[in-house]
Structure formats: structure tokens, C-alpha cells
Amino acid sequence: MNYQYWEPQAETMPRAELEALQLRKLKEEIGFALRTPFYRKRLTQAGITGTDAITSLDDLRHIPLTTKNDLREGFPYGFLSIPLKDVVRLHASSGTTGVPTTIYFSRDDIKRWANNMARCIFGTGCTKDDVFQNMISYGLFTGGLGFHQGGEEVGMLVIPTGAGNTARQFKLMEDFGTTVLHATPSFLLHLESKMKESGVKRENLIIKRAFAGAEPYSEDTRRRIEKLLNIDVFNSYGLSEMNGPSVAFECQCKDGMHIWEDSYIAEIINPDTLEPVKDGGIGELVLTILCREATPILRYRTRDLTGFYTEPCPCGRTHRRLRRITGRSDDMLIINGVNVFPSQIEEVIMGMKEVGNNYLIVVEKDGALDRLTVKTEVNTDIFMDDARPLNTLKEKIAKALQVSISINPRVELHENGSLPVSEGKAVRVQDIRPKDV
């Protein structure tokens, strides 16, 4: 196979050169970090008052871990290292408390992000001759704009459709000759199931490959999408705290995701002991960003469970490969690519006087897509034969949840005392989606 590289020298440099580059960039990033209110205090407490305190990559372990909670507590400007007038964009993700984690970008940060995304996209075999249909959410979510700017950097024709509306997606594919898609794996399966219903014939489409991400999925699911749509599907990995997509991506070999080590330092730790995991072992991924000046983040606990491949990739890239993400070390749910915390749902429904004390969150499959149902008891005085007040309450709960979690859930109202009660710690979530094996 003839492998193509966006930046041949950077992607295939010897490990010794790559690690020397990491050390230089780490010192620069610490310099940025020391300008922020959060890290100025945190690093000083750890005895790191300047970049000369770091003399090797081994010194990284002296830097305290950073958590999502730290980012929330630093909201809004505790992690900003440059003047606000030099910031050109922000992205944000919601959290359990309603306080978002906010990431700022300078103009150069955006350029570096776009270049890394181009490296990812080009490395799968795409060229400027491709037509790229980006079927993922835009806005504060990093996935939409991240892939969009990477596609433009490669020189592809980018169609910013956003998520949903399958009939319109098919029409655009046919009208403009789309060759590359980006979507959640569940939406790609949904597309296939709706193809016949929409009167679309696969032979009239010229799609060749798709990028799948934003939610975990198995190798069996990847193979099913590839077979049903007759395309190549490539895995991607990213998170908003680390510039969203572009952290790691599969090459044409489709055997593990290359993490761009000239932009990130990756560690795998035991999530309980916080000690390093042996090479090749599974643990929690910890990331330090090396390509962003506006919001430096050091040793960030991603909560994602994975490991490194130890053998080199046939493509010739020297950047290590991540294994497929096997799960998370916390309780976050990923529903059709959207991160949802059970506590967000509890915060909404428990703030309503009409709602009782017991509720249940059910996540299941509805065809290829996830379906969220929130079951909640109501106070005795509202549960009556007249359906009108019940329907009004259901609509009220559904709208409030949609605002909080960006998903339109099903809402079921139950008589007080009718939902199961667990002894000990309450079981609030039933995720009955088929488990990937």
C-alpha cells in the first residue's frame, strides 16, 4: 500500500527526535501555564516556578494531575494564559453542575488545530478531490468545526450539513457527489436503515469512506457499517479539553489510532492508584497538550480507558497508537454522541415541585440510534384521571431536559411509589443497550 503523509518528516521522525521535541514543547507549555491563575498556584505548590524545573520528560510526573472539576472551578478565565483581546474563539462542554469546561484559542492555536486535523484526514487517503459531508453537530461542540476546518485545510469541498435530517443528507450526497462522511457510528447505521425508505439507491452514491467518532463502538459495529454502506470507516479520538478531534486517528492500516505526540504527551495510569501502567496495559489516559497557548492543560485525566500498541505500525509513522477506548472510569453516558451525566437529569427533575422522589433513567436502542427515557414519579395530588395536567407536566420536563442536556428524551410519569426502590445505593440508570464485545 502507498501510504500518504500530510507532514512526512513530522509523522515519521525517529523517536529520540520526537521525544526531544516533546520536551521543548512541554517547557513552552509550562511557560504558558505559569501565566494562568490556576497553574501559577498549582505548579508553585509543586515546586515548579519556571521552565528550568523540567529537564526531562520524566519530570512530568512532578506535575499534579488536572481534572474536569479543576476546569469548572477555574471558570471562566482561570486557565486563560493570554490577553482576552488575543482570543479568537472558545469552545465549551457542559458538566454535572451546569458549569461548562471552557477552552480558548488564539489565532495560531486554530491554525495548529486545523493542521493536525488535516494530518488526520489526509492520512486516511483523502485528497483535495474529495467532497466531504460533515454530518455532526456544530456550535460549541468541537467535533463539527474541528473536522470542517481540517477538511478545508486539505482542500476538500466541505458541506456543513450538521446532524440529523436524513432525507436532506441523502439529497446532498446525490446532488454534490459526496465521497467522505463524518458522523456518529449510530447515525451511519441509521442512514443505511433509512436508505430504502427514502428511495435512495446505494449505486447512485459515490461515498468511499467515513470518519466515525463522538461515541464508543465496537469493531463489529465498524465492520457492519462498512459492509452495509460499502465504505471504509476510520476511528477517531478527541475531547474538547484537548482541542476535540485531532488527538488521535487511524491511518490507512485501520489498526489503532496514532496519537500525535508532537502535540500531546500521553500517559496511561491506574485510575485508582494513579501509578503508571506497564507498557501495553489498559488504564486511564492522561494527556498534556503541547499545541495550544491560550489554554494550557497539563496532565489531564480524560477518564477514558485504553492502552498503547507496543509494536510499530506498518505505515511507518513513529507516533504511538491508542487501542480502541473500552469505556470510562466515571459514570458519564454517551447518547447519540452527546455526553450526558445522570446528575444533570436529576438537577432538572428534582427542581420541580410536581415531581416525586424517585426516578429512573433508561437508555436503550431504537434501531441504530440510542433512545433516552426518563421515568419519574409525580406527587399524589397531581396524579389524576384528567390527562391534561399530566401532559403539561411531561412537556415541561422534556423541554427543561432538552435545554440542559441537548437531547429530546421520552418522559414517562408514574404514580407515586410505583417505581422500584433499591436497598442501599439507589440505582438510577438502566443502560440496556447491547454491550460491545
Side-chain angles (χ1 to χ4, degrees), residues 229-284:
L229 292 177
N230 191 26
I231 57 175
D232 280 319
V233 175
F234 293 87
N235 296 332
S236 65
Y237 173 75
L239 59 161
S240 61
E241 294 83 1
M242 294 286 131
N243 286 2
S246 78
V247 176
F249 221 89
E250 284 187 323
C251 65
Q252 289 157 284
C253 297
K254 294 196 294 186
D255 187 21
M257 298 173 287
H258 289 280
I259 183 163
W260 302 122
E261 294 182 272
D262 54 348
S263 294
Y264 304 92
I265 296 177
E267 306 169 70
I268 306 292
I269 66 170
N270 183 308
D272 298 318
T273 66
L274 306 184
E275 293 297 317
V277 169
K278 288 183 179 179
D279 225 11
I282 300 298
E284 180 182 339

Coordinates of all heavy atoms in Angstrom, one line a residue, residues 229-284:
L229 N -22.8 -0.1 4.0 CA -22.7 1.1 3.2 C -21.6 0.9 2.1 O -21.4 1.8 1.3 CB -22.4 2.3 4.1 CG -23.5 2.8 5.0 CD1 -23.0 4.0 5.8 CD2 -24.7 3.2 4.2
N230 N -20.8 -0.2 2.2 CA -19.7 -0.4 1.2 C -18.7 0.7 1.2 O -18.4 1.3 0.2 CB -20.3 -0.6 -0.2 CG -19.2 -1.2 -1.1 OD1 -18.3 -1.8 -0.7 ND2 -19.4 -0.9 -2.4
I231 N -18.2 1.1 2.4 CA -17.2 2.1 2.6 C -16.2 1.7 3.6 O -16.3 0.7 4.3 CB -17.9 3.4 3.1 CG1 -18.6 3.2 4.4 CG2 -18.8 4.0 2.1 CD1 -19.2 4.4 5.1
D232 N -15.1 2.5 3.7 CA -14.1 2.3 4.7 C -14.5 3.2 5.9 O -14.8 4.4 5.6 CB -12.7 2.7 4.2 CG -12.1 1.5 3.4 OD1 -12.2 0.4 3.8 OD2 -11.4 1.8 2.4
V233 N -14.4 2.7 7.1 CA -14.7 3.5 8.3 C -13.5 3.7 9.1 O -12.8 2.7 9.4 CB -15.9 2.9 9.1 CG1 -16.1 3.7 10.4 CG2 -17.2 2.9 8.3
F234 N -13.2 4.9 9.5 CA -12.0 5.2 10.3 C -12.3 5.7 11.7 O -13.2 6.6 11.8 CB -11.1 6.2 9.6 CG -10.5 5.7 8.3 CD1 -11.2 5.8 7.1 CD2 -9.2 5.1 8.3 CE1 -10.7 5.3 5.9 CE2 -8.7 4.6 7.1 CZ -9.4 4.7 5.9
N235 N -11.7 5.2 12.7 CA -11.9 5.6 14.1 C -11.1 6.9 14.4 O -10.0 7.1 13.8 CB -11.4 4.5 15.0 CG -12.2 3.2 14.9 OD1 -13.4 3.2 14.5 ND2 -11.6 2.1 15.2
S236 N -11.7 7.7 15.2 CA -11.0 8.9 15.6 C -11.2 9.1 17.1 O -12.2 8.5 17.7 CB -11.6 10.1 14.9 OG -13.0 10.3 15.2
Y237 N -10.4 9.9 17.7 CA -10.5 10.1 19.2 C -10.1 11.6 19.5 O -9.2 12.1 18.9 CB -9.6 9.2 20.0 CG -9.5 9.6 21.5 CD1 -10.6 9.2 22.3 CD2 -8.5 10.3 22.0 CE1 -10.6 9.5 23.6 CE2 -8.5 10.6 23.4 CZ -9.5 10.2 24.2 OH -9.5 10.6 25.5
G238 N -10.9 12.2 20.4 CA -10.6 13.5 20.8 C -11.5 13.9 22.0 O -12.5 13.2 22.3
L239 N -11.2 15.0 22.6 CA -12.1 15.5 23.7 C -11.9 17.1 23.7 O -10.8 17.6 23.3 CB -11.8 14.9 25.0 CG -10.4 15.1 25.6 CD1 -10.4 14.8 27.1 CD2 -9.4 14.1 25.0
S240 N -12.9 17.8 24.1 CA -12.9 19.2 23.9 C -11.8 19.9 24.7 O -11.2 20.8 24.2 CB -14.2 19.8 24.4 OG -14.5 19.5 25.8
E241 N -11.4 19.3 25.8 CA -10.3 19.9 26.6 C -8.9 19.8 25.9 O -8.0 20.6 26.2 CB -10.2 19.1 27.9 CG -11.4 19.3 28.9 CD -12.5 18.4 28.6 OE1 -12.4 17.5 27.6 OE2 -13.5 18.4 29.3
M242 N -8.8 18.9 24.9 CA -7.6 18.7 24.1 C -7.8 19.1 22.7 O -7.2 18.5 21.8 CB -7.2 17.3 24.2 CG -6.7 16.8 25.6 SD -5.1 17.5 26.1 CE -5.5 18.2 27.7
N243 N -8.6 20.1 22.4 CA -9.0 20.5 21.0 C -10.0 19.7 20.3 O -10.1 19.7 19.1 CB -7.7 20.6 20.1 CG -6.8 21.8 20.5 OD1 -7.1 22.6 21.4 ND2 -5.8 22.0 19.7
G244 N -10.7 18.8 21.0 CA -11.7 18.0 20.4 C -11.0 17.0 19.4 O -10.0 16.4 19.8
P245 N -11.6 16.7 18.2 CA -11.0 15.8 17.3 C -9.6 16.3 16.9 O -9.3 17.5 17.0 CB -11.9 15.8 16.1 CG -12.6 17.1 16.2 CD -12.7 17.4 17.6
S246 N -8.7 15.4 16.5 CA -7.4 15.6 16.1 C -6.4 15.0 17.1 O -5.2 15.0 16.8 CB -7.0 17.0 15.8 OG -6.7 17.8 17.0
V247 N -6.8 14.5 18.2 CA -5.9 14.0 19.2 C -5.3 12.7 18.7 O -4.0 12.5 18.7 CB -6.6 13.7 20.6 CG1 -5.6 13.0 21.5 CG2 -7.1 15.0 21.2
A248 N -6.1 11.8 18.2 CA -5.6 10.5 17.6 C -6.6 10.1 16.5 O -7.8 10.3 16.6 CB -5.6 9.4 18.7
F249 N -6.0 9.4 15.5 CA -6.7 9.0 14.3 C -6.1 7.8 13.7 O -4.9 7.5 13.8 CB -6.7 10.1 13.3 CG -8.0 10.4 12.6 CD1 -8.9 11.3 13.2 CD2 -8.3 9.8 11.4 CE1 -10.1 11.6 12.5 CE2 -9.5 10.1 10.8 CZ -10.4 11.0 11.3
E250 N -7.0 7.0 13.1 CA -6.4 5.8 12.4 C -5.8 6.2 11.0 O -6.3 7.1 10.4 CB -7.6 4.8 12.1 CG -8.0 4.0 13.3 CD -8.9 2.9 13.0 OE1 -9.8 3.1 12.1 OE2 -8.8 1.8 13.6
C251 N -4.8 5.5 10.6 CA -4.2 5.7 9.3 C -4.9 4.7 8.4 O -5.9 4.0 8.7 CB -2.7 5.5 9.3 SG -2.2 3.8 9.8
Q252 N -4.3 4.5 7.2 CA -4.9 3.6 6.2 C -4.9 2.1 6.6 O -5.6 1.3 6.1 CB -4.2 3.8 4.8 CG -4.5 5.1 4.2 CD -3.5 5.5 3.2 OE1 -2.4 6.0 3.6 NE2 -3.8 5.4 1.9
C253 N -4.0 1.8 7.6 CA -3.9 0.4 8.1 C -5.2 0.1 9.0 O -5.5 -1.1 9.2 CB -2.7 0.3 9.0 SG -1.1 0.5 8.0
K254 N -5.8 1.1 9.6 CA -7.0 0.9 10.4 C -6.7 -0.1 11.5 O -7.5 -1.1 11.8 CB -8.2 0.4 9.6 CG -8.7 1.4 8.6 CD -10.1 1.1 8.1 CE -10.1 -0.1 7.2 NZ -11.5 -0.3 6.6
D255 N -5.6 0.1 12.2 CA -5.2 -0.8 13.3 C -4.7 0.0 14.5 O -3.5 0.0 14.7 CB -4.2 -1.8 12.8 CG -3.9 -2.9 13.9 OD1 -4.7 -3.1 14.8 OD2 -2.8 -3.5 13.8
G256 N -5.5 0.7 15.2 CA -5.1 1.6 16.2 C -5.0 3.0 15.8 O -4.8 3.3 14.6
M257 N -5.2 4.0 16.7 CA -5.2 5.4 16.4 C -3.9 6.1 16.8 O -3.5 6.0 17.9 CB -6.4 6.1 17.1 CG -7.8 5.5 16.8 SD -9.1 6.2 17.8 CE -8.8 5.3 19.3
H258 N -3.2 6.6 15.8 CA -2.0 7.3 16.1 C -2.3 8.6 16.9 O -3.1 9.4 16.4 CB -1.3 7.7 14.8 CG -0.7 6.6 14.0 ND1 0.5 6.0 14.3 CD2 -1.2 5.9 12.9 CE1 0.7 5.0 13.4 NE2 -0.3 4.9 12.6
I259 N -1.7 8.7 18.0 CA -1.8 9.9 18.8 C -0.6 10.8 18.5 O 0.5 10.4 18.5 CB -1.8 9.6 20.4 CG1 -2.1 10.9 21.1 CG2 -0.6 8.9 20.8 CD1 -2.5 10.6 22.6
W260 N -0.9 12.0 18.1 CA 0.1 12.9 17.6 C 1.0 13.4 18.7 O 0.6 14.4 19.4 CB -0.5 14.1 16.8 CG -1.4 13.6 15.6 CD1 -2.7 13.8 15.4 CD2 -1.0 12.7 14.6 NE1 -3.1 13.1 14.3 CE2 -2.1 12.5 13.7 CE3 0.3 12.1 14.2 CZ2 -2.0 11.6 12.6 CZ3 0.3 11.3 13.1 CH2 -0.8 11.1 12.3
E261 N 2.1 12.8 18.9 CA 2.9 13.0 20.1 C 3.8 14.3 20.0 O 4.4 14.6 21.0 CB 3.8 11.8 20.3 CG 3.0 10.6 20.7 CD 3.8 9.4 21.0 OE1 4.2 8.6 20.1 OE2 4.2 9.2 22.2
D262 N 3.7 15.0 18.8 CA 4.4 16.3 18.8 C 3.4 17.3 19.2 O 3.7 18.5 19.3 CB 4.9 16.6 17.4 CG 3.9 16.4 16.3 OD1 2.8 15.9 16.5 OD2 4.1 16.8 15.1
S263 N 2.1 16.9 19.5 CA 1.1 17.9 20.0 C 0.6 17.5 21.4 O -0.1 18.3 22.0 CB -0.1 18.0 19.0 OG 0.4 18.6 17.8
Y264 N 0.8 16.2 21.8 CA 0.3 15.7 23.1 C 1.3 14.8 23.7 O 2.0 14.0 23.0 CB -1.0 14.9 22.9 CG -2.1 15.7 22.2 CD1 -2.2 15.7 20.8 CD2 -2.9 16.5 22.9 CE1 -3.2 16.4 20.2 CE2 -3.9 17.3 22.3 CZ -4.0 17.2 20.9 OH -5.0 18.0 20.3
I265 N 1.4 14.8 25.0 CA 2.1 13.8 25.8 C 1.0 12.9 26.4 O 0.2 13.4 27.1 CB 3.0 14.3 26.8 CG1 4.1 15.2 26.2 CG2 3.6 13.2 27.7 CD1 5.1 15.8 27.2
A266 N 1.1 11.6 26.1 CA 0.1 10.7 26.6 C 0.7 9.7 27.7 O 1.8 9.2 27.5 CB -0.5 9.8 25.5
E267 N -0.1 9.5 28.7 CA 0.3 8.6 29.8 C -0.9 7.7 30.0 O -2.0 8.0 29.8 CB 0.6 9.3 31.1 CG 1.7 10.4 31.0 CD 1.7 11.2 32.3 OE1 2.1 10.7 33.4 OE2 1.2 12.4 32.3
I268 N -0.6 6.4 30.5 CA -1.6 5.5 30.9 C -1.4 5.2 32.3 O -0.3 4.7 32.7 CB -1.6 4.2 30.1 CG1 -1.7 4.5 28.5 CG2 -2.8 3.3 30.5 CD1 -3.0 5.0 28.1
I269 N -2.4 5.5 33.2 CA -2.2 5.3 34.6 C -3.4 4.4 35.2 O -4.4 4.3 34.5 CB -2.3 6.7 35.4 CG1 -3.7 7.3 35.3 CG2 -1.2 7.6 34.9 CD1 -3.8 8.5 36.2
N270 N -3.1 3.8 36.3 CA -4.1 3.1 37.0 C -5.1 4.2 37.6 O -4.6 5.0 38.4 CB -3.5 2.2 38.1 CG -4.5 1.4 38.9 OD1 -5.5 1.9 39.4 ND2 -4.3 0.1 39.0
P271 N -6.4 4.1 37.3 CA -7.3 5.2 37.8 C -7.5 5.2 39.3 O -7.9 6.2 39.8 CB -8.6 4.9 37.0 CG -8.5 3.5 36.6 CD -7.1 3.2 36.4
D272 N -7.1 4.1 40.0 CA -7.3 4.0 41.4 C -6.0 4.4 42.1 O -6.1 5.2 43.1 CB -7.7 2.6 41.8 CG -9.0 2.2 41.2 OD1 -10.0 3.0 41.2 OD2 -9.2 1.0 40.8
T273 N -4.9 3.9 41.7 CA -3.6 4.2 42.4 C -2.9 5.4 41.8 O -2.0 6.0 42.4 CB -2.6 3.0 42.3 OG1 -2.3 2.8 40.9 CG2 -3.3 1.7 42.8
L274 N -3.3 5.8 40.6 CA -2.7 6.9 39.8 C -1.2 6.6 39.4 O -0.5 7.5 39.0 CB -2.7 8.2 40.6 CG -4.1 8.7 41.1 CD1 -4.1 10.0 41.8 CD2 -5.1 8.7 39.9
E275 N -0.8 5.4 39.5 CA 0.5 5.0 39.1 C 0.5 4.6 37.7 O -0.5 4.1 37.1 CB 1.0 3.8 40.0 CG 1.3 4.1 41.5 CD 2.4 5.2 41.6 OE1 3.4 5.1 40.9 OE2 2.2 6.1 42.4
P276 N 1.7 4.7 37.0 CA 1.8 4.3 35.6 C 1.5 2.8 35.4 O 1.8 2.0 36.2 CB 3.2 4.6 35.2 CG 3.7 5.5 36.2 CD 3.0 5.2 37.5
V277 N 0.8 2.5 34.3 CA 0.5 1.2 33.9 C 1.7 0.6 33.0 O 2.3 1.4 32.2 CB -0.8 1.1 33.1 CG1 -1.1 -0.3 32.5 CG2 -2.0 1.5 34.0
K278 N 2.0 -0.7 33.1 CA 3.0 -1.2 32.3 C 2.7 -1.1 30.8 O 1.6 -1.0 30.4 CB 3.2 -2.7 32.6 CG 3.8 -3.0 34.0 CD 4.0 -4.5 34.2 CE 4.6 -4.8 35.5 NZ 4.7 -6.3 35.7
D279 N 3.8 -1.0 30.0 CA 3.6 -0.8 28.6 C 2.7 -1.8 28.0 O 2.9 -3.0 28.2 CB 5.0 -0.9 27.9 CG 5.2 0.2 26.9 OD1 4.3 1.2 26.9 OD2 6.1 0.2 26.1
G280 N 1.7 -1.4 27.3 CA 0.7 -2.3 26.7 C -0.5 -2.6 27.6 O -1.5 -3.2 27.1
G281 N -0.4 -2.2 28.8 CA -1.6 -2.5 29.7 C -2.7 -1.4 29.5 O -2.5 -0.4 28.9
I282 N -3.9 -1.8 30.1 CA -5.0 -0.9 30.0 C -5.2 -0.1 31.2 O -5.0 -0.6 32.3 CB -6.3 -1.7 29.8 CG1 -6.2 -2.6 28.5 CG2 -7.5 -0.8 29.7 CD1 -6.0 -1.8 27.2
G283 N -5.4 1.2 31.0 CA -5.6 2.1 32.2 C -6.3 3.4 31.7 O -6.8 3.5 30.6
E284 N -6.2 4.4 32.5 CA -6.8 5.7 32.2 C -5.8 6.6 31.4 O -4.7 6.7 31.8 CB -7.3 6.4 33.4 CG -7.9 7.8 33.1 CD -8.3 8.5 34.4 OE1 -8.5 7.9 35.4 OE2 -8.5 9.8 34.3

